[in-house]
Amino acid sequence: MINLSKDEKNIFFNTLRQVLFFILIFSFIFFIHYMADIYKTETFSEHSVVENLQLSFLVLSGLIFVGEAIFFKQYRSLLFLLASLCFFASFRELDSFFDNTLPVVSWKIGYIFPISAIIYVKKHFEDFLRELIDFCSSPAFFMMLTAVVVVLPIAQCIGHGSFVRDVLGNDKVADIKEFFEESCETMGYFIILLSSFETYFGTLKKQK
């Protein structure tokens, strides 16, 4: 039997989790294919199964971060901030709902979450810096960074209406834009959900 040091065991299990996450991400893509086979042109429409999945991923991620913040005080500032960003993004995804229910403020009421988290961070700034430095060396950080790249520069910039129109012409620009943006955003939010679990196993569990 191979005897591994503590550091070697950590590397092994970190790598094993990343392989598992890769398999889950790959499998989820095919799940979206399956949903498209069922819902056809309604797959990425407003209030569709994909939009509900996006909202579920964001809310669940936020709740996981809040739960972790409650049980792991030494990372509370960072975890509250991460949770607030997930909740804020969920409000942004519900823009059409809030446009109807809160016509003036709309989804921007979701700013209350990051603003509250920033106020908390400011009160515990020294702790936050320590937490952030520690977190930035963890696999969860790089997973979140990957998710942000998928959701922002890839989904928003490549799926930009004028860019799509310039490349593909005017035919069904809105549909193509929605298809690309929504599919990328869904994958990005799924990666954020996985990173919330990785935060526990790769960072918080070590502090027990």
Side-chain angles (χ1 to χ4, degrees):
M1 185 175 179
I2 300 174
N3 292 320
L4 300 176
S5 67
K6 183 178 179 180
D7 288 340
E8 289 171 336
K9 287 180 180 178
N10 287 335
I11 293 172
F12 173 77
F13 286 114
N14 284 342
T15 303
L16 190 62
R17 284 197 306 274
Q18 296 306 311
V19 171
L20 175 61
F21 292 150
F22 175 80
I23 293 172
L24 289 174
I25 291 169
F26 214 88
S27 300
F28 181 67
I29 291 175
F30 284 101
F31 174 73
I32 295 296
H33 288 194
Y34 174 70
M35 289 293 101
D37 185 55
I38 296 174
Y39 293 98
K40 306 297 182 184
T41 58
E42 298 299 315
T43 304
F44 295 100
S45 61
E46 286 287 335
H47 311 299
S48 66
V49 60
V50 170
E51 188 175 78
N52 290 332
L53 278 174
Q54 292 176 350
L55 184 60
S56 299
F57 292 156
L58 289 169
V59 173
L60 182 56
S61 299
L63 291 175
I64 291 173
F65 286 130
V66 169
E68 291 171 341
I70 292 172
F71 289 102
F72 294 90
K73 184 178 180 180
Q74 61 270 43
Y75 285 92
R76 185 164 293 172
S77 299
L78 174 66
L79 292 168
F80 275 155
L81 181 61
L82 294 175
S84 74
L85 294 176
C86 291
F87 292 140
F88 171 73
S90 68
F91 272 64
R92 182 65 183 87
E93 288 298 323
L94 288 171
D95 55 345
S96 60
F97 169 77
F98 285 108
D99 284 344
N100 294 326
T101 56
L102 296 171
V104 178
V105 180
S106 187
W107 61 269
K108 296 180 183 65
I109 193 174
Y111 274 109
I112 192 173
F113 293 104
I115 290 174
S116 299
I118 290 171
I119 292 173
Y120 186 87
V121 165
K122 187 176 179 180
K123 292 181 179 179
H124 305 83
F125 191 66
E126 290 186 6
D127 291 335
F128 173 74
L129 286 180
R130 174 189 52 77
E131 297 164 20
L132 183 63
I133 291 171
D134 189 28
F135 180 71
C136 285
S137 63
S138 70
F141 168 76
F142 295 102
M143 289 181 68
M144 290 183 191
L145 184 61
T146 299
V148 171
V149 169
V150 171
V151 171
L152 294 178
I154 294 180
Q156 302 301 321
C157 297
I158 296 180
H160 190 63
S162 61
F163 177 61
V164 175
R165 188 176 294 106
D166 289 340
V167 176
L168 300 176
N170 290 319
D171 293 340
K172 295 187 176 180
V173 168
D175 292 337
I176 296 170
K177 177 179 180 294
E178 182 180 58
F179 166 68
F180 188 85
E181 281 187 2
E182 297 299 324
S183 57
C184 288
E185 286 179 358
T186 305
M187 293 309 305
Y189 296 153
F190 183 61
I191 295 172
I192 290 175
L193 176 61
L194 295 179
S195 71
S196 69
F197 291 104
E198 174 59 31
T199 298
Y200 171 75
F201 289 105
T203 304
L204 304 179
K205 193 177 181 181
K206 296 178 182 178
Q207 304 301 318
K208 283 189 172 182

